[in-house]
Every structure is written in structure tokens, then in C-alpha cells.
Amino acid sequence: MTQAAILFKEWSGYLKPEDITQLESAYHFSEAAHEGQFRKTGEPYISHPLAVASILAEWHLDTQALTAALLHDVMEDTAVTKTEISRNFGKPVAELVDGVSKLDRIEFETHEVAQAENFRKMLLAMARDVRVILIKLADRLHNMRTLDAVESDKKRRIARETLDIYAPIANRLGLNRIYQELEDLAFQHLYPDRYRVLSKAVKAARGNRREVVSKVMDSIKRRLKSSGVEAQVHGREKHLYSIYRKMREKHLSFAQVLDVFGFRILVKDVAGCYLALGALHSLFKPIPGKFKDYVAIPKANGYQSLHTTLFGPFGSPMEIQIRAIEMHKIAEAGVASHWLYKSSDTSLSDLQKKTHQWLQSLLEMQSQSGDSVEFLEHLKVDLFPDEVYVFTPKGKIMALPRGATAVDFAYAVHTDIGNRCVAVKINQDLMPLRTELKNGDRVEIITAAHAKPNPLWLNFVVTAKSRSRIRHFLKTMHYQESSQLGERLLNQALGALGSALGEIKGAQWDRFLRDAGAKSREEILADIGLGKRLAAVVARRLLPLGEPGSNEVPMPGSVIIRGSEGLAVQFAQCCKPIPGDPIIGIISKGQGMVIHTHDCPAIIRARHDPDRILDVAWDPDTRKLFDVSIKLVVANQRGVLAKVAAEIAGAGSNIQNVAVDPEDGSDYTNMYFTLQVSDRLHLARILRSLRGITEVVRLSRV
Ligand code: MN
């Protein structure tokens, strides 16, 4: 029988006659389109789409998907168009083929940015219709199975890409068998020598212990039976790449990794799982800390099982998985089990829904974060599901990636909770927001109505959701603050031309906006605040021609700095100005205004662009505290640091940071403090009281 004939015979087992007719016509269509093309293996090209369709048929995918699989390369490799497919086989099929073709066009490059960008496109396609990715995975699987015929450079590239991208996606979608096969094939082509050595060793080891395994299996079966648990017991083999990965990651020898027996026990239902567990724990002692209950708390990809490790009878540990038959289906086929077992089982449709939600959240995330590399980084956290499970105050379970903090939890509950969180209670105790959550923690977020996200949170949050929400909030806030600053800058620049913002008429604005190609005044003002446009230039263009006609241009006033402008005004880290210091503002493109002291070397560097330098002055009553650095030379004596710290505290200042030069045997040593002060007078007061300490030899602001 030909490949096609075998396939159609199989299909007739689960498809209706009219479906078979459509598939037959798709097959002939595809064969005609690929006429004269050959695979690298030398076979006619049509053998490939047939193989892909046959892989999908193992999951009992629907006729649309199978039709698309047969046609998946015609748009890419032949002159057939989407319209043609749509006319012959319907719009849904054409969309699927189009989706797969778009993925084909993605060249994954080693360059990380390109890779991230492409990965993103792939997820987009997947989010629209998960069948696209199933076809793509089947396509990749067949290409991997026939990779021998491909030249070695390309082979390595495809194998690497499979390991980095396709296998993790298969894993995330719960397509376990495909995931393992993809990894092993990639391993084989990427590291042929290691693969050979390892597979030989594994075979030998398995041969040697066959007897032991069957003895253990018999005793397990007997115990389950005497406990009245109906179960099937299977030996379980790890796939090669997972053995290799374990050796590498945990620096284990081959003997150590393989010195573990694996068994899988399939039972009827959930109750059976726990009964079997009890029976086994009374047969062999469990290793403490190794028990995991994925039945009560499934993994994100829907996986459910009890995992336990037992001290085996021959000194080797035994890893046991216990699950119900229904759970086993999902464990093997993941999201594809929806097609495979067209049952109305709630756990299946639930998985379908969850996968959809996951894809939807990816879509949302990618539209918010502009940075592909960051997106990929965070997606990796999502794709390698290492999760912690915590509880809300109402006892609801939330799954978060390992390393997630209280802030991540807050954003997972709701964006508003994240944006307004100020403190957290973990298991009733108040803890810092950056605290990493542990399995089983009960987490209660405390919010305040006017609280805002802190940019520093970006240093410790781990979920893409919290990161993108914080970014988004800061961006919006930055925009508002920048446009407020821009308004003040523009008003000042207009003042220098003898006008004022209030005098600019609507028509003048409209003309300016049209010329500048901007959407709103707000946008122009934000641009000014961010330094993307110069206030002086905007001011000149806003005024009608001929103005200012008069020669008596008043002196421009200073822009008043209050210290409360938020993100729009930054205080330079190089000279750390404090109120009372003579200051100058420099507008830098995209960053907005940075305030420096008069004598800061940064000003000299900005001289070539005088329009960017602004006259600024302190508001007489700034309420904020400012950082300032001081340096002390002190005699090397016991307790001097404590004395200095006490004086500083006594003068009403906070110490933000202390550093002391390492002991070098000399009589004197340098100390550096970063303090918070309200202004120059405050600083002077502190310095004066420090001079009163006898051990302080020299004292200066840095
Ligand atoms: Mn293909």
C-alpha cells in the first residue's frame, strides 16, 4: 500500500466519508502543486505533507487542520495563492495554511534580537489559532526525523532552534511525547558523539537491571492488589536528553543519574491516586521532601500526577508517578487531547480554556512591552514552568513563577492592586514588598488609594505582567509630568519673546500642530518636557510672523524647580545639587531635564548646544529631601564611625549609604557618606557639628 493509501485507511476510522473526500482532493491538489519537487532524502515532496498530516492524525485533529497540513507548503514552495486555497477548501483552511506559511518565513538567527522578534511572531500566530502551532510542530517533527539528509551547518541550526523554541513550546502545550522526541532528535544532531555514548550506556544499564525492575514491579503490583487498588504499573524510562540535562545541570555522573528506577501507576480516579500512594508508602519508605501533589494543584500546562520518591529495596531511589487515566491522557497529549478524546470531560475543556488564556496574556504582554529581548526573557520564565503556589486571603490558589515577589502576586491578582500596593502580609507577618514567595504562603496585599508603582520594583519583579504594567504606569506618569514641565518651559520661552502661553490663540496652535505633524498640544508639551523639542523653537514658531516686533524683549525668567516634578526632572548623579546650590538645567533628548550645579563639568560638555541649557532656580520652599555625598578623613580610632553617625543623626539627617576605605595600616582613613538633607543650610549645620569631633581631620562635600 502507498503512504497515502495507508493514511486514508486510518482516517476512515474516525472521519466521516465527506471529510475523507475533502482530504483526498487536498492530497491530489498538493501532489500536483509539488509535482517535480523532491525532498533532500530523494523522495517526492508530497511524502512530507503526508507525513505531517499523519502525525496530526495521531491526535485525531479535525479535517480543517488535516487539510491544511496536506497543503502547508504549497503557498511557500509553489505558485498556489491563498485565494485559490480558500476557493477550493474554504476560508478556515486557507487561514491555517497562511499562518503556517508565515511561520515558515521566520528565519531564526543566532542573533538574540532577531530570535526574540521571530519568537514573538510565532506566538502571535499561535494565539490566533492553536492549530497553526500544532501543524508547525508536526512539520518540525517530521523535518527533525529526516534531518540526516540535510547538510551539517543547516542541520545544527535547525537542531538548536528546535531545542530553544519548538521543544519548549511543545512542553508548554503539554505535548509530552512530541516534546521528548524533539529534544532527543535535536540532541542527536547537535552532539552526535555524546548522544552515541549516552544511548549505548543507557541500553547497557537497562539490560543489566531488567530483572531487578521486574521484581520491584511485582512487589508493587501485589501490594496495590492487596490494598484493593485497581491499577496498571509500568516501568518508566527517561528520555536521553533529560538524562543529559540532569547530568549537566546537577553535575552528576552517569551512574548517579541512571541509578534511579522510574515507575508509573495508572489508576481509575482521583481517590485511587491517593489510595495507591498510601499503599506504596507502606511498602517502601518515602524520601522526605520529594513528594509533590500535582493532582490537587495541576501544573500550568494541565499536567496532573502525584510524584513521590521511595527508598528502593536495592538501595536505589525509585521515582513514582501516580495518576488517573484521564490525567494520563492530558499528560501525554496536552492541548491536543481536546481533539484526541472528544469527550465533554470538564478537565479537558478547562485545559483548552487555560491554554487560550495563556496565549491571550502573551498577546497582551507583547503589545505592551516594546522590547523583544525582554519579552523573550520573560517568556522563558513562562515556558519553563517552575512555579510556586500561594494563597489569597480567601484561600484561592495562585500559581506564580519561581522567584516571584509580593509585587508580582499583587499584579497577578489585579493591575489596580499592583499599582496601589504599599505593603504585604505574608502568613500574617508584615514583610517587604520585594520578598520572594514560597509554596503555600498566604499572601495579603495592603493597598493605599494614592500609592503609585515605584521604578525600583523593576529590579525585582519576575513576571512579565507586573513588569509591563509597571512600565506602562511609569510611562504614562512620565508623559503627564513631562507635559507639565513642558508647559512651564514653553511659558518661559514665550515670556522671553514678550508673550505668554495664555496669549496663544487656538488658530495659532492649530497651524503649529499641522506643520509639526503632531496630534495634540499635550504631545508637543510632553515633547518639550522630554527634550525632544526645544521650547525656544516652539515658542518662535507659535508666534505669528512679525512678532516680536518690539525691541524691548524682557529678560527671560528662570524656571522654578520644586523638586516634586517626579520623573520629568532629574537631579544629576554627578554633582548631586541641593537647594541653595546655584543650578542649571540641561535638556537631554528623551530624558527630559537634568539639574546640575553651576560648576559641574557636565555643563561645559553641553555648551555647544546653548538652546538645551536652561536657567533654573530653586523654589524657596521645596519640601523634598535631597541626597548629598560627603567625604571625611578621620583618625583611625575605635568608635569613630559611631560618633560620626550619631552626629549626623543628631543634626536631623538620614544616612543613605556609608563606605569606609579598607585598612591600610596608616593612621588615617577615608569615610564616605551619602546623606539626605533639605538644603545647603541643613548641610552646613551637619558639617559644622562633624567638625566638632576631634578625630575628624578633614571634611568636604564630594
Ligand atoms: Mn513543511
Side-chain angles (χ1 to χ4, degrees):
M1 245 196 302
T2 63
Q3 190 189 1
I6 295 171
L7 203 51
F8 285 114
K9 186 150 180 277
E10 259 175 45
W11 283 343
S12 55
Y14 79 97
L15 293 174
K16 293 193 219 79
E18 61 263 35
D19 293 332
I20 302 282
T21 316
Q22 162 156 339
L23 287 167
E24 269 168 350
S25 95
Y27 164 64
H28 293 304
F29 185 94
S30 180
E31 191 181 35
H34 287 297
E35 179 70 57
Q37 293 175 345
F38 292 91
R39 297 272 292 168
K40 283 264 160 53
T41 53
E43 292 166 282
Y45 198 89
I46 186 67
S47 66
H48 168 64
L50 272 174
V52 173
S54 130
I55 292 169
L56 293 172
E58 287 171 29
W59 300 328
H60 289 195
L61 239 69
D62 54 40
T63 312
Q64 288 177 350
L66 294 175
T67 311
L70 288 171
L71 300 168
H72 82 269
D73 277 331
V74 296
M75 272 175 65
E76 200 57 11
D77 299 344
T78 75
V80 175
T81 63
K82 188 175 168 186
T83 343
E84 228 172 307
I85 297 176
S86 177
R87 203 166 5 150
N88 284 291
F89 303 100
K91 192 151 181 284
V93 171
E95 287 298 338
L96 286 172
V97 175
D98 189 43
V100 177
S101 305
K102 281 201 183 112
L103 290 184
D104 277 340
R105 252 167 264 144
I106 299 175
E107 277 273 308
F108 290 106
E109 286 162 43
T110 41
H111 188 42
E112 206 181 350
V113 179
Q115 187 193 334
E117 187 50 39
N118 291 332
F119 200 12
R120 219 155 100 142
K121 286 186 198 147
M122 177 122 111
L123 287 158
L124 283 178
M126 177 157 88
R128 258 176 247 126
D129 189 336
V130 83
R131 291 178 300 177
V132 169
I133 206 72
L134 294 178
I135 298 171
K136 188 64 203 168
L137 284 172
D139 176 46
R140 175 52 59 119
L141 184 61
H142 183 244
N143 285 337
M144 287 299 293
R145 282 175 180 169
T146 52
L147 200 59
D148 269 329
V150 174
E151 62 270 28
S152 72
D153 262 8
K154 197 173 168 199
K155 196 194 281 190
R156 291 188 57 82
R157 182 176 64 75
I158 293 179
R160 175 49 54 209
E161 189 180 289
T162 301
L163 219 45
D164 285 348
I165 309 227
Y166 291 94
I169 288 184
N171 185 31
R172 180 58 181 79
L173 295 178
L175 304 160
N176 202 34
R177 283 220 314 271
I178 296 236
Y179 159 62
Q180 296 184 351
E181 188 176 350
L182 282 176
E183 278 200 338
D184 276 355
L185 286 166
F187 179 39
Q188 180 185 350
H189 288 287
L190 217 45
Y191 306 108
D193 293 330
R194 292 175 219 188
Y195 178 86
R196 215 173 9 250
V197 172
L198 201 55
S199 59
K200 225 168 139 189
V202 169
K203 237 188 222 144
R206 274 173 197 158
N208 292 340
R209 9 181 266 193
R210 194 159 294 149
E211 213 173 308
V212 179
V213 170
S214 80
K215 264 191 195 144
V216 174
M217 194 128 83
D218 283 344
S219 63
I220 292 178
K221 280 181 185 160
R222 269 199 306 277
R223 175 55 60 103
L224 289 172
K225 200 164 176 202
S226 67
S227 312
V229 185
E230 210 178 293
Q232 306 166 27
V233 183
H234 304 275
R236 196 168 56 84
E237 315 266 310
K238 282 201 166 62
H239 68 295
L240 276 185
Y241 188 72
S242 78
I243 295 175
Y244 174 68
R245 185 165 41 208
K246 210 166 181 181
M247 285 170 68
R248 262 191 34 174
E249 277 172 11
K250 305 205 168 149
H251 302 285
L252 298 175
S253 71
F254 177 68
Q256 284 169 309
V257 176
L258 224 68
D259 186 28
V260 175
F261 296 93
F263 294 98
R264 176 173 303 139
I265 296 167
L266 298 184
V267 296
K268 247 183 19 243
D269 50 18
V270 173
C273 292
Y274 294 99
L275 283 176
L277 182 78
L280 284 175
H281 280 188
S282 67
L283 181 62
F284 301 112
K285 282 235 169 315
I287 298 179
K290 289 283 194 176
F291 172 64
K292 289 202 188 85
D293 188 345
Y294 295 120
V295 170
I297 302 172
K299 287 192 187 184
N301 62 10
Y303 177 87
Q304 284 189 295
S305 243
L306 297 177
H307 287 188
T308 184
T309 307
L310 309 172
F311 290 108
F314 305 98
S316 303
M318 305 194 300
E319 291 177 356
I320 315 269
Q321 298 175 346
I322 306 169
R323 54 176 88 132
I325 309 252
E326 280 301 310
M327 301 173 189
H328 185 59
K329 290 175 179 173
I330 291 181
E332 294 288 291
V335 73
S337 42
H338 165 74
W339 288 277
L340 193 46
Y341 310 102
K342 289 193 184 52
S343 66
S344 54
D345 194 303
T346 45
S347 63
L348 286 186
S349 57
D350 208 39
L351 173 63
Q352 204 61 16
K353 209 166 73 195
K354 276 207 188 112
T355 306
H356 186 74
Q357 273 169 2
W358 176 61
L359 295 171
Q360 217 50 47
S361 76
L362 288 177
L363 265 183
E364 233 173 74
M365 174 165 70
Q366 85 88 38
S367 65
Q368 274 182 14
S369 100
D371 183 346
S372 337
V373 174
E374 188 179 295
F375 176 73
L376 184 63
E377 258 331 294
H378 286 282
L379 192 67
K380 278 182 180 162
V381 178
D382 272 352
L383 278 180
F384 301 97
D386 218 351
E387 305 189 313
V388 290
Y389 299 93
V390 296
F391 296 93
T392 66
K394 284 185 183 150
K396 198 180 148 213
I397 294 173
M398 306 271 294
L400 291 164
R402 196 160 292 282
T405 61
V407 172
D408 292 301
F409 174 86
Y411 277 101
V413 174
H414 196 278
T415 303
D416 278 346
I417 307 278
N419 283 341
R420 293 188 291 117
C421 68
V422 287
V424 60
K425 270 188 183 170
I426 299 175
N427 307 322
Q428 312 290 346
D429 293 328
L430 274 171
M431 300 290 276
L433 281 172
R434 63 183 314 143
T435 309
E436 251 184 50
L437 301 176
K438 293 188 306 299
N439 268 321
D441 277 346
R442 185 171 287 270
V443 189
E444 184 183 350
I445 296 291
I446 298 160
T447 58
H450 299 293
K452 289 185 286 204
N454 187 323
L456 291 177
W457 293 354
L458 291 170
N459 296 331
F460 58 75
V461 295
V462 307
T463 64
K465 181 174 179 186
S466 22
R467 184 168 294 264
S468 76
R469 296 295 148 92
I470 295 168
R471 283 259 160 83
H472 180 73
F473 189 95
L474 293 176
K475 223 167 154 185
T476 318
M477 196 162 79
H478 197 178
Y479 186 81
Q480 285 166 0
E481 288 169 355
S482 298
S483 75
Q484 281 159 15
L485 174 68
E487 186 174 332
R488 285 158 61 197
L489 293 176
L490 182 60
N491 201 22
Q492 185 232 20
L494 284 167
L497 298 173
S499 180
L501 204 51
E503 293 174 18
I504 307 294
K505 295 187 189 65
Q508 282 165 284
W509 269 113
D510 291 345
R511 182 174 47 96
F512 177 80
L513 290 177
R514 203 175 48 242
D515 293 351
K519 284 191 203 73
S520 65
R521 289 184 204 188
E522 174 108 313
E523 183 186 329
I524 296 288
L525 295 175
D527 277 358
I528 296 174
L530 285 166
K532 289 183 190 159
R533 290 175 192 274
L534 291 173
V537 176
V538 175
R540 278 195 291 272
R541 288 179 52 193
L542 268 174
L543 292 173
L545 288 175
E547 254 184 89
S550 58
N551 289 328
E552 36 181 305
V553 175
M555 283 296 289
S558 304
V559 177
I560 302 298
I561 298 303
R562 304 184 191 107
S564 58
E565 287 84 357
L567 297 166
V569 170
Q570 293 163 47
F571 296 92
Q573 283 305 302
C574 45
C575 51
K576 299 207 175 82
I578 56 175
D581 287 338
I583 44 170
I584 270 183
I586 301 181
I587 298 271
S588 63
K589 216 168 194 160
Q591 269 186 46
M593 182 145 70
V594 185
I595 306 294
H596 293 266
T597 59
H598 244 214
D599 48 2
C600 180
I603 311 257
I604 299 165
R605 283 198 298 276
R607 279 264 155 79
H608 62 272
D609 207 353
D611 272 349
R612 297 199 170 273
I613 300 184
L614 283 174
D615 190 12
V616 292
W618 294 104
D619 185 328
D621 34 60
T622 44
R623 291 276 157 72
K624 203 185 156 229
L625 290 174
F626 292 81
D627 283 357
V628 63
S629 302
I630 59 170
K631 178 185 168 183
L632 294 87
V633 183
V634 299
N636 238 339
Q637 268 162 42
R638 190 185 295 262
V640 59
L641 179 60
K643 272 191 199 170
V644 171
E647 279 301 334
I648 292 173
S653 167
N654 301 322
I655 299 173
Q656 291 289 91
N657 194 21
V658 187
V660 180
D661 276 351
E663 184 89 50
D664 61 354
S666 74
D667 291 344
Y668 298 99
T669 191
N670 296 327
M671 286 181 182
Y672 306 87
F673 284 84
T674 304
L675 310 175
Q676 285 194 317
V677 298
S678 52
D679 56 20
R680 254 170 102 95
L681 284 173
H682 188 192
L683 177 63
R685 222 162 48 235
I686 296 167
L687 295 183
R688 205 175 317 124
S689 59
L690 287 178
R691 285 209 180 86
I693 303 173
T694 41
E695 288 90 342
V696 175
V697 187
R698 229 179 353 243
L699 184 55
S700 58
R701 181 173 168 194
V702 182

